[in-house]
Amino acid sequence: MLHCTMPAMISVRGSASFRAAAMFRPRSVVLLADPGQPETATIARNLTGGGFQGKLRVIGMAVDGMAAAASVEELPDAPDLAVLCLPPDRLEVAMAALAERGCLAAVVPGAAPDLAAISARTGVKALGQGSFGLCVPAIGLNASLAHIAPAPGKLALVTQSAALARVVLDWAAAEAVGFSHVIGIGGNATIGFAMALDWLARDVGTNAVLLDLRRIRNRRAFVSAARAVARTRPVVAIRAGGRSADASGIGDCVMEAALRRAGVLRVSGLEDFLSAAETLARVRPRLGGGPDALRGDRVAIVTNGIGMGHLAADAVLSGGGRLAQFSPESLAAFAMLLPEGWHAGSPLSLGPASGPRLAEATAMLAALPEVDSVVALHAPAAEEAGDVAAEAMIAAARTGGQRAAPVLVSWCGQATAGRQRQAMAKSGLAVFATPEAAVRGALHLARDRRNRAAAAELPSREVLDLAPDRTSVRRILEGARAEYRRTLTEEEALGVLAAYGVPTVPGRRAAGPQEAADAAAMLGFPAVLKILSPDLRHKSEVGGVVVGLSTAGAVKAEAKAMLARVRAKLPEARIEGFLVQRQAARALELRLRLGDDAMFGPWIGFGQGGTAADLAEDEAHDLPPLNLALANQLISRSRTARVMGGFRDHPPVNQGAVADVLVRLSQIAVDFPEIEALTLNPLFADSTGVLAADAHLVMRPEGECGVLAIPPYPAELTRPWRTRAGEVLTIRPVRPEDAETHGEFFHTLAPEDVRWRFFSPLKELSPTLTARLTQIDYDREIAFVASRRRADGRDETLAVSRLIRDPAEPTHAEFAVVVSRSMKGQGLGRHMMERLFEWGRANGVREIMGHVLADNAPMLAFVRRLGFSAKRSPEEEDVMETRLSL
């Protein structure tokens, strides 16, 4: 954890710099208005009616409550933010004038088809085109097209759709939900999701984020920024139009995979989106709870009507949750709340005249350790003071703090319940009109908890050491290019897999029927015969694959018959001979795929294999790069995973061997970005291992390369280094599998070194902090570890150096370094810093800074020897700011 107080800014052309604070928390705003533009009146009304705490000025029209200026040049000072309600042909002149005055942040609510190019030429970064606008209720800023002014709160909405923004604000006004920010990305031309999310990640006033996604402009920046936000608060995303844009559904699945890797909760449909907003804006998961609580899906139901309780229970089970189970002691405690003759159970029904007892039971359930969330259901009842019951429920939901399970309330009905529900919402409760909606909220909490935990999961120290024959693969690909082919033969595709250590079925190419018979005799029987043709994607569809051939004569005869069949069905197909293979033993057939998505780039799919794989619709997706932990998670998300464990006539499969192949396939995507698609089907898997029998590989058009949404491990930065004592250490970038060794290294540090490094006397590295230190975005930061191999074969960490670029100003970065006591005086600290300097220069860093405690004399002397300047921090008396220009 770095002690970081760097400002948020992005360098642009010219002497001025874009400041994120000028956009997202401005102190002065100017409206450049054309009264004829349809957005102008609404924007002007909202700006003056929001109670903005800064300066408001207008150019182009008179607006009550805004000081008028004749032109940008005549403004008394440079505004932080400009709102441009202008026709497209006037935008560039206006943005150039703003840039001259030093205003580099803008909102463009109308049409601006060339906004990206205008922004590049002028240096002004803008939300738009077609931006809904920007609201920051805490400072009274409403520079938006909203029909209702959002109230202040802790929820942030980042949206591309103005219509969805209005719906969410309308819902929020009725539900008494407030916002920290409403950010209209619009066309996503210059200021996109990544910059908005980077700001929200640092905003202490934001507790949860809602995302409306259409188009991601920079996949790496988006995933990195989303992950940064999701580390500390829930993020929920919706995507409209994904399935209609891609009927196969793969694009939607790949987006969900990308969001999952970032720790973001993906929901489907507006109802789910609003339900998640209601829940996350008001409740927080309980702290602690033990290993079983990590799933977060143990739902306790309490009701004053058993019918509603059963509806809620069904919703829990059909949604994949669990009904909380109570101990005998807990059930006995509830007995005093039940009518005479009633028995405690799950759901817990108190009878129609329960009144405040419903609230009392809710508080008791929330205190139980075996409960992750409580769904309290209320139906109107005769002879009951509904307002009193509602007030009691409000008090109960506030009992216990974050050590209690969150409470979600379904207050059903409308004539009487509607008014009570509104009062409960205004008091801060997560309240819903139906049992199913309340259960959805509880399950959203559980999914969010699992998603974020999985994104920060600490893998084991096991690393799959790969030694691929990249030269052989390069030769195969270049050979196909030389023949002007993008599609490899099956033999070539299997050769690529074999070069990466994937076991493949032995095979031989044969020119004709007799050669095929000879090849089969050499390989052994039973044999498989396949036609070779660059024009046949699915050979089995034209009778181009035959299995179970037991003699050379049968192979020869079938080869002749196969030629006749293929030529009769596809006379134009080019026939290049046959591929003869030894038939694999009976095993489970799997399909592994590498594909490419227009928005998120290369993806990996896993599921059922064989000729019916497309019909089975059993494919789980993830993004490369994968390690063994991620590969096993990918397998577990498929339906095929249940068969792999053994079922009836299916013996158990060696899942570790399958995960191994997925990691190798991922590495192919990393090493050869010119590959567009690679399908391995079938991959035979049994208890002994795996065997690839068929593969199909397509290269991208020459000159094109895929870009991974998640930067791969930079193995090329690994180097040996010799200490002054002559010991050779390995200096390499940190990786997620270093979590355990990071913890071991922490315990070797002296207490003073810990305080100097973390600005706190930490006793342990928490799992969250360990994940933050070992699971890094290699585009944004680097962390080098110095390690030695111990006698037991495990690595031991001896030093760590880290350089984190400010996402808003990537030319500036902050460093940290720590060396174990046993290695001090060996020159290791200097070398670790020099590696940071080298990486920084290669990645455009111009200045490195660091915060050092004023009493850390050894570090201050060390950095001064490296050329750093040092001065006392103006914000913290006991901290020194050190800086070095690269």
PDB file of all heavy atoms in Angstrom, residues 284-317:
ATOM      1  N   ARG A 284     -25.114  -3.058   3.284  1.00  0.00           N
ATOM      2  CA  ARG A 284     -23.764  -3.577   3.121  1.00  0.00           C
ATOM      3  C   ARG A 284     -23.730  -5.005   3.670  1.00  0.00           C
ATOM      4  O   ARG A 284     -24.404  -5.313   4.665  1.00  0.00           O
ATOM      5  CB  ARG A 284     -22.738  -2.739   3.908  1.00  0.00           C
ATOM      6  CG  ARG A 284     -22.563  -1.345   3.340  1.00  0.00           C
ATOM      7  CD  ARG A 284     -21.775  -1.389   2.044  1.00  0.00           C
ATOM      8  NE  ARG A 284     -21.680  -0.069   1.453  1.00  0.00           N
ATOM      9  CZ  ARG A 284     -22.573   0.456   0.625  1.00  0.00           C
ATOM     10  NH1 ARG A 284     -23.653  -0.231   0.307  1.00  0.00           N
ATOM     11  NH2 ARG A 284     -22.413   1.653   0.125  1.00  0.00           N
ATOM     12  N   PRO A 285     -22.959  -5.891   3.044  1.00  0.00           N
ATOM     13  CA  PRO A 285     -22.824  -7.244   3.605  1.00  0.00           C
ATOM     14  C   PRO A 285     -22.217  -7.176   4.996  1.00  0.00           C
ATOM     15  O   PRO A 285     -21.461  -6.257   5.317  1.00  0.00           O
ATOM     16  CB  PRO A 285     -21.879  -7.941   2.613  1.00  0.00           C
ATOM     17  CG  PRO A 285     -21.925  -7.114   1.376  1.00  0.00           C
ATOM     18  CD  PRO A 285     -22.182  -5.712   1.813  1.00  0.00           C
ATOM     19  N   ARG A 286     -22.539  -8.149   5.816  1.00  0.00           N
ATOM     20  CA  ARG A 286     -21.984  -8.174   7.166  1.00  0.00           C
ATOM     21  C   ARG A 286     -20.495  -8.471   7.110  1.00  0.00           C
ATOM     22  O   ARG A 286     -20.002  -9.126   6.188  1.00  0.00           O
ATOM     23  CB  ARG A 286     -22.710  -9.196   8.029  1.00  0.00           C
ATOM     24  CG  ARG A 286     -22.321 -10.637   7.742  1.00  0.00           C
ATOM     25  CD  ARG A 286     -23.189 -11.654   8.475  1.00  0.00           C
ATOM     26  NE  ARG A 286     -23.349 -11.357   9.879  1.00  0.00           N
ATOM     27  CZ  ARG A 286     -24.267 -11.947  10.647  1.00  0.00           C
ATOM     28  NH1 ARG A 286     -25.099 -12.837  10.133  1.00  0.00           N
ATOM     29  NH2 ARG A 286     -24.362 -11.651  11.915  1.00  0.00           N
ATOM     30  N   LEU A 287     -19.768  -7.997   8.087  1.00  0.00           N
ATOM     31  CA  LEU A 287     -18.341  -8.268   8.196  1.00  0.00           C
ATOM     32  C   LEU A 287     -18.129  -9.632   8.817  1.00  0.00           C
ATOM     33  O   LEU A 287     -18.882 -10.059   9.683  1.00  0.00           O
ATOM     34  CB  LEU A 287     -17.665  -7.196   9.046  1.00  0.00           C
ATOM     35  CG  LEU A 287     -17.744  -5.760   8.511  1.00  0.00           C
ATOM     36  CD1 LEU A 287     -17.105  -4.801   9.500  1.00  0.00           C
ATOM     37  CD2 LEU A 287     -17.069  -5.656   7.154  1.00  0.00           C
ATOM     38  N   GLY A 288     -17.055 -10.319   8.392  1.00  0.00           N
ATOM     39  CA  GLY A 288     -16.716 -11.611   8.967  1.00  0.00           C
ATOM     40  C   GLY A 288     -17.715 -12.679   8.572  1.00  0.00           C
ATOM     41  O   GLY A 288     -18.294 -12.665   7.505  1.00  0.00           O
ATOM     42  N   GLY A 289     -17.885 -13.653   9.450  1.00  0.00           N
ATOM     43  CA  GLY A 289     -18.871 -14.698   9.205  1.00  0.00           C
ATOM     44  C   GLY A 289     -18.281 -16.050   8.895  1.00  0.00           C
ATOM     45  O   GLY A 289     -19.015 -17.016   8.760  1.00  0.00           O
ATOM     46  N   GLY A 290     -16.961 -16.175   8.748  1.00  0.00           N
ATOM     47  CA  GLY A 290     -16.348 -17.474   8.513  1.00  0.00           C
ATOM     48  C   GLY A 290     -16.353 -17.886   7.060  1.00  0.00           C
ATOM     49  O   GLY A 290     -16.915 -17.222   6.195  1.00  0.00           O
ATOM     50  N   PRO A 291     -15.728 -19.026   6.756  1.00  0.00           N
ATOM     51  CA  PRO A 291     -15.587 -19.476   5.365  1.00  0.00           C
ATOM     52  C   PRO A 291     -16.923 -19.664   4.651  1.00  0.00           C
ATOM     53  O   PRO A 291     -17.048 -19.348   3.478  1.00  0.00           O
ATOM     54  CB  PRO A 291     -14.839 -20.811   5.502  1.00  0.00           C
ATOM     55  CG  PRO A 291     -14.156 -20.739   6.833  1.00  0.00           C
ATOM     56  CD  PRO A 291     -15.049 -19.922   7.699  1.00  0.00           C
ATOM     57  N   ASP A 292     -17.950 -20.175   5.355  1.00  0.00           N
ATOM     58  CA  ASP A 292     -19.227 -20.429   4.693  1.00  0.00           C
ATOM     59  C   ASP A 292     -19.906 -19.133   4.284  1.00  0.00           C
ATOM     60  O   ASP A 292     -20.726 -19.112   3.365  1.00  0.00           O
ATOM     61  CB  ASP A 292     -20.144 -21.239   5.604  1.00  0.00           C
ATOM     62  CG  ASP A 292     -21.285 -21.889   4.838  1.00  0.00           C
ATOM     63  OD1 ASP A 292     -21.012 -22.466   3.771  1.00  0.00           O
ATOM     64  OD2 ASP A 292     -22.430 -21.800   5.291  1.00  0.00           O
ATOM     65  N   ALA A 293     -19.567 -18.043   4.963  1.00  0.00           N
ATOM     66  CA  ALA A 293     -20.189 -16.763   4.641  1.00  0.00           C
ATOM     67  C   ALA A 293     -19.644 -16.151   3.364  1.00  0.00           C
ATOM     68  O   ALA A 293     -20.220 -15.192   2.844  1.00  0.00           O
ATOM     69  CB  ALA A 293     -19.986 -15.786   5.806  1.00  0.00           C
ATOM     70  N   LEU A 294     -18.540 -16.685   2.848  1.00  0.00           N
ATOM     71  CA  LEU A 294     -17.988 -16.130   1.618  1.00  0.00           C
ATOM     72  C   LEU A 294     -18.967 -16.240   0.466  1.00  0.00           C
ATOM     73  O   LEU A 294     -18.970 -15.415  -0.444  1.00  0.00           O
ATOM     74  CB  LEU A 294     -16.666 -16.829   1.264  1.00  0.00           C
ATOM     75  CG  LEU A 294     -15.487 -16.538   2.189  1.00  0.00           C
ATOM     76  CD1 LEU A 294     -14.276 -17.341   1.761  1.00  0.00           C
ATOM     77  CD2 LEU A 294     -15.160 -15.045   2.192  1.00  0.00           C
ATOM     78  N   ARG A 295     -19.813 -17.272   0.479  1.00  0.00           N
ATOM     79  CA  ARG A 295     -20.829 -17.384  -0.560  1.00  0.00           C
ATOM     80  C   ARG A 295     -21.904 -16.324  -0.392  1.00  0.00           C
ATOM     81  O   ARG A 295     -22.500 -15.886  -1.372  1.00  0.00           O
ATOM     82  CB  ARG A 295     -21.451 -18.778  -0.553  1.00  0.00           C
ATOM     83  CG  ARG A 295     -20.537 -19.850  -1.102  1.00  0.00           C
ATOM     84  CD  ARG A 295     -21.173 -21.226  -1.018  1.00  0.00           C
ATOM     85  NE  ARG A 295     -22.465 -21.296  -1.724  1.00  0.00           N
ATOM     86  CZ  ARG A 295     -23.186 -22.401  -1.805  1.00  0.00           C
ATOM     87  NH1 ARG A 295     -22.755 -23.511  -1.226  1.00  0.00           N
ATOM     88  NH2 ARG A 295     -24.335 -22.391  -2.448  1.00  0.00           N
ATOM     89  N   GLY A 296     -22.163 -15.940   0.844  1.00  0.00           N
ATOM     90  CA  GLY A 296     -23.092 -14.848   1.113  1.00  0.00           C
ATOM     91  C   GLY A 296     -24.529 -15.103   0.732  1.00  0.00           C
ATOM     92  O   GLY A 296     -25.310 -14.158   0.610  1.00  0.00           O
ATOM     93  N   ASP A 297     -24.930 -16.375   0.532  1.00  0.00           N
ATOM     94  CA  ASP A 297     -26.248 -16.659  -0.039  1.00  0.00           C
ATOM     95  C   ASP A 297     -27.186 -17.379   0.921  1.00  0.00           C
ATOM     96  O   ASP A 297     -28.178 -17.952   0.490  1.00  0.00           O
ATOM     97  CB  ASP A 297     -26.089 -17.486  -1.315  1.00  0.00           C
ATOM     98  CG  ASP A 297     -25.439 -18.848  -1.058  1.00  0.00           C
ATOM     99  OD1 ASP A 297     -24.945 -19.079   0.067  1.00  0.00           O
ATOM    100  OD2 ASP A 297     -25.421 -19.663  -1.993  1.00  0.00           O
ATOM    101  N   ARG A 298     -26.894 -17.359   2.229  1.00  0.00           N
ATOM    102  CA  ARG A 298     -27.796 -17.986   3.207  1.00  0.00           C
ATOM    103  C   ARG A 298     -28.857 -16.967   3.619  1.00  0.00           C
ATOM    104  O   ARG A 298     -28.568 -16.044   4.371  1.00  0.00           O
ATOM    105  CB  ARG A 298     -27.000 -18.481   4.408  1.00  0.00           C
ATOM    106  CG  ARG A 298     -25.963 -19.558   4.069  1.00  0.00           C
ATOM    107  CD  ARG A 298     -25.070 -19.849   5.253  1.00  0.00           C
ATOM    108  NE  ARG A 298     -24.342 -18.651   5.689  1.00  0.00           N
ATOM    109  CZ  ARG A 298     -23.548 -18.595   6.755  1.00  0.00           C
ATOM    110  NH1 ARG A 298     -23.375 -19.674   7.494  1.00  0.00           N
ATOM    111  NH2 ARG A 298     -22.937 -17.475   7.080  1.00  0.00           N
ATOM    112  N   VAL A 299     -30.054 -17.128   3.079  1.00  0.00           N
ATOM    113  CA  VAL A 299     -31.119 -16.141   3.248  1.00  0.00           C
ATOM    114  C   VAL A 299     -32.124 -16.639   4.285  1.00  0.00           C
ATOM    115  O   VAL A 299     -32.667 -17.743   4.165  1.00  0.00           O
ATOM    116  CB  VAL A 299     -31.845 -15.883   1.912  1.00  0.00           C
ATOM    117  CG1 VAL A 299     -32.923 -14.819   2.090  1.00  0.00           C
ATOM    118  CG2 VAL A 299     -30.843 -15.467   0.836  1.00  0.00           C
ATOM    119  N   ALA A 300     -32.355 -15.823   5.293  1.00  0.00           N
ATOM    120  CA  ALA A 300     -33.393 -16.103   6.291  1.00  0.00           C
ATOM    121  C   ALA A 300     -34.650 -15.335   5.911  1.00  0.00           C
ATOM    122  O   ALA A 300     -34.579 -14.150   5.564  1.00  0.00           O
ATOM    123  CB  ALA A 300     -32.920 -15.699   7.679  1.00  0.00           C
ATOM    124  N   ILE A 301     -35.790 -15.989   5.973  1.00  0.00           N
ATOM    125  CA  ILE A 301     -37.069 -15.380   5.595  1.00  0.00           C
ATOM    126  C   ILE A 301     -37.969 -15.341   6.822  1.00  0.00           C
ATOM    127  O   ILE A 301     -38.172 -16.359   7.484  1.00  0.00           O
ATOM    128  CB  ILE A 301     -37.743 -16.170   4.462  1.00  0.00           C
ATOM    129  CG1 ILE A 301     -36.836 -16.213   3.222  1.00  0.00           C
ATOM    130  CG2 ILE A 301     -39.104 -15.570   4.109  1.00  0.00           C
ATOM    131  CD1 ILE A 301     -37.314 -17.174   2.154  1.00  0.00           C
ATOM    132  N   VAL A 302     -38.493 -14.163   7.098  1.00  0.00           N
ATOM    133  CA  VAL A 302     -39.470 -14.024   8.186  1.00  0.00           C
ATOM    134  C   VAL A 302     -40.671 -13.281   7.623  1.00  0.00           C
ATOM    135  O   VAL A 302     -40.524 -12.329   6.851  1.00  0.00           O
ATOM    136  CB  VAL A 302     -38.855 -13.293   9.398  1.00  0.00           C
ATOM    137  CG1 VAL A 302     -38.368 -11.903   9.036  1.00  0.00           C
ATOM    138  CG2 VAL A 302     -39.856 -13.241  10.549  1.00  0.00           C
ATOM    139  N   THR A 303     -41.880 -13.719   7.976  1.00  0.00           N
ATOM    140  CA  THR A 303     -43.066 -13.195   7.319  1.00  0.00           C
ATOM    141  C   THR A 303     -44.261 -13.200   8.255  1.00  0.00           C
ATOM    142  O   THR A 303     -44.283 -13.947   9.246  1.00  0.00           O
ATOM    143  CB  THR A 303     -43.390 -14.033   6.064  1.00  0.00           C
ATOM    144  OG1 THR A 303     -44.581 -13.557   5.455  1.00  0.00           O
ATOM    145  CG2 THR A 303     -43.561 -15.511   6.400  1.00  0.00           C
ATOM    146  N   ASN A 304     -45.253 -12.372   7.925  1.00  0.00           N
ATOM    147  CA  ASN A 304     -46.521 -12.443   8.651  1.00  0.00           C
ATOM    148  C   ASN A 304     -47.575 -13.165   7.805  1.00  0.00           C
ATOM    149  O   ASN A 304     -48.760 -13.092   8.114  1.00  0.00           O
ATOM    150  CB  ASN A 304     -47.005 -11.045   9.062  1.00  0.00           C
ATOM    151  CG  ASN A 304     -47.453 -10.222   7.859  1.00  0.00           C
ATOM    152  OD1 ASN A 304     -47.124 -10.529   6.716  1.00  0.00           O
ATOM    153  ND2 ASN A 304     -48.202  -9.157   8.121  1.00  0.00           N
ATOM    154  N   GLY A 305     -47.129 -13.867   6.747  1.00  0.00           N
ATOM    155  CA  GLY A 305     -48.041 -14.648   5.924  1.00  0.00           C
ATOM    156  C   GLY A 305     -47.284 -15.778   5.260  1.00  0.00           C
ATOM    157  O   GLY A 305     -46.374 -15.545   4.463  1.00  0.00           O
ATOM    158  N   ILE A 306     -47.602 -17.025   5.570  1.00  0.00           N
ATOM    159  CA  ILE A 306     -46.808 -18.159   5.107  1.00  0.00           C
ATOM    160  C   ILE A 306     -46.802 -18.274   3.585  1.00  0.00           C
ATOM    161  O   ILE A 306     -45.836 -18.728   2.986  1.00  0.00           O
ATOM    162  CB  ILE A 306     -47.308 -19.474   5.756  1.00  0.00           C
ATOM    163  CG1 ILE A 306     -46.321 -20.605   5.483  1.00  0.00           C
ATOM    164  CG2 ILE A 306     -48.710 -19.815   5.270  1.00  0.00           C
ATOM    165  CD1 ILE A 306     -44.928 -20.372   6.006  1.00  0.00           C
ATOM    166  N   GLY A 307     -47.893 -17.834   2.917  1.00  0.00           N
ATOM    167  CA  GLY A 307     -47.921 -17.900   1.462  1.00  0.00           C
ATOM    168  C   GLY A 307     -46.825 -17.058   0.841  1.00  0.00           C
ATOM    169  O   GLY A 307     -46.133 -17.487  -0.093  1.00  0.00           O
ATOM    170  N   MET A 308     -46.641 -15.858   1.361  1.00  0.00           N
ATOM    171  CA  MET A 308     -45.558 -15.006   0.868  1.00  0.00           C
ATOM    172  C   MET A 308     -44.197 -15.603   1.208  1.00  0.00           C
ATOM    173  O   MET A 308     -43.244 -15.496   0.434  1.00  0.00           O
ATOM    174  CB  MET A 308     -45.668 -13.599   1.444  1.00  0.00           C
ATOM    175  CG  MET A 308     -46.834 -12.801   0.877  1.00  0.00           C
ATOM    176  SD  MET A 308     -46.580 -11.044   1.089  1.00  0.00           S
ATOM    177  CE  MET A 308     -46.148 -10.963   2.811  1.00  0.00           C
ATOM    178  N   GLY A 309     -44.120 -16.225   2.356  1.00  0.00           N
ATOM    179  CA  GLY A 309     -42.867 -16.873   2.731  1.00  0.00           C
ATOM    180  C   GLY A 309     -42.481 -17.962   1.758  1.00  0.00           C
ATOM    181  O   GLY A 309     -41.303 -18.099   1.392  1.00  0.00           O
ATOM    182  N   HIS A 310     -43.472 -18.737   1.305  1.00  0.00           N
ATOM    183  CA  HIS A 310     -43.181 -19.790   0.345  1.00  0.00           C
ATOM    184  C   HIS A 310     -42.759 -19.205  -1.004  1.00  0.00           C
ATOM    185  O   HIS A 310     -41.873 -19.743  -1.680  1.00  0.00           O
ATOM    186  CB  HIS A 310     -44.401 -20.691   0.171  1.00  0.00           C
ATOM    187  CG  HIS A 310     -44.641 -21.579   1.352  1.00  0.00           C
ATOM    188  ND1 HIS A 310     -45.891 -22.072   1.670  1.00  0.00           N
ATOM    189  CD2 HIS A 310     -43.803 -22.044   2.324  1.00  0.00           C
ATOM    190  CE1 HIS A 310     -45.802 -22.828   2.764  1.00  0.00           C
ATOM    191  NE2 HIS A 310     -44.540 -22.808   3.178  1.00  0.00           N
ATOM    192  N   LEU A 311     -43.374 -18.105  -1.417  1.00  0.00           N
ATOM    193  CA  LEU A 311     -42.954 -17.452  -2.663  1.00  0.00           C
ATOM    194  C   LEU A 311     -41.495 -17.010  -2.566  1.00  0.00           C
ATOM    195  O   LEU A 311     -40.710 -17.176  -3.511  1.00  0.00           O
ATOM    196  CB  LEU A 311     -43.844 -16.234  -2.944  1.00  0.00           C
ATOM    197  CG  LEU A 311     -45.279 -16.511  -3.397  1.00  0.00           C
ATOM    198  CD1 LEU A 311     -46.059 -15.207  -3.485  1.00  0.00           C
ATOM    199  CD2 LEU A 311     -45.286 -17.228  -4.746  1.00  0.00           C
ATOM    200  N   ALA A 312     -41.129 -16.434  -1.441  1.00  0.00           N
ATOM    201  CA  ALA A 312     -39.746 -15.985  -1.252  1.00  0.00           C
ATOM    202  C   ALA A 312     -38.787 -17.169  -1.219  1.00  0.00           C
ATOM    203  O   ALA A 312     -37.696 -17.111  -1.795  1.00  0.00           O
ATOM    204  CB  ALA A 312     -39.637 -15.164   0.032  1.00  0.00           C
ATOM    205  N   ALA A 313     -39.165 -18.254  -0.533  1.00  0.00           N
ATOM    206  CA  ALA A 313     -38.303 -19.430  -0.456  1.00  0.00           C
ATOM    207  C   ALA A 313     -38.062 -20.012  -1.851  1.00  0.00           C
ATOM    208  O   ALA A 313     -36.939 -20.392  -2.198  1.00  0.00           O
ATOM    209  CB  ALA A 313     -38.913 -20.475   0.464  1.00  0.00           C
ATOM    210  N   ASP A 314     -39.134 -20.074  -2.655  1.00  0.00           N
ATOM    211  CA  ASP A 314     -38.965 -20.570  -4.022  1.00  0.00           C
ATOM    212  C   ASP A 314     -38.001 -19.682  -4.805  1.00  0.00           C
ATOM    213  O   ASP A 314     -37.171 -20.167  -5.574  1.00  0.00           O
ATOM    214  CB  ASP A 314     -40.318 -20.610  -4.742  1.00  0.00           C
ATOM    215  CG  ASP A 314     -41.226 -21.710  -4.217  1.00  0.00           C
ATOM    216  OD1 ASP A 314     -40.726 -22.595  -3.481  1.00  0.00           O
ATOM    217  OD2 ASP A 314     -42.431 -21.687  -4.538  1.00  0.00           O
ATOM    218  N   ALA A 315     -38.115 -18.382  -4.616  1.00  0.00           N
ATOM    219  CA  ALA A 315     -37.247 -17.454  -5.336  1.00  0.00           C
ATOM    220  C   ALA A 315     -35.788 -17.620  -4.915  1.00  0.00           C
ATOM    221  O   ALA A 315     -34.873 -17.524  -5.744  1.00  0.00           O
ATOM    222  CB  ALA A 315     -37.704 -16.016  -5.097  1.00  0.00           C
ATOM    223  N   VAL A 316     -35.553 -17.870  -3.628  1.00  0.00           N
ATOM    224  CA  VAL A 316     -34.188 -18.102  -3.152  1.00  0.00           C
ATOM    225  C   VAL A 316     -33.590 -19.326  -3.822  1.00  0.00           C
ATOM    226  O   VAL A 316     -32.480 -19.294  -4.369  1.00  0.00           O
ATOM    227  CB  VAL A 316     -34.163 -18.266  -1.620  1.00  0.00           C
ATOM    228  CG1 VAL A 316     -32.789 -18.768  -1.156  1.00  0.00           C
ATOM    229  CG2 VAL A 316     -34.485 -16.945  -0.937  1.00  0.00           C
ATOM    230  N   LEU A 317     -34.318 -20.432  -3.817  1.00  0.00           N
ATOM    231  CA  LEU A 317     -33.792 -21.690  -4.343  1.00  0.00           C
ATOM    232  C   LEU A 317     -33.640 -21.646  -5.864  1.00  0.00           C
ATOM    233  O   LEU A 317     -32.645 -22.118  -6.408  1.00  0.00           O
ATOM    234  CB  LEU A 317     -34.696 -22.846  -3.918  1.00  0.00           C
ATOM    235  CG  LEU A 317     -34.790 -23.073  -2.403  1.00  0.00           C
ATOM    236  CD1 LEU A 317     -35.808 -24.156  -2.085  1.00  0.00           C
ATOM    237  CD2 LEU A 317     -33.427 -23.435  -1.821  1.00  0.00           C
TER     238      LEU A 317
END
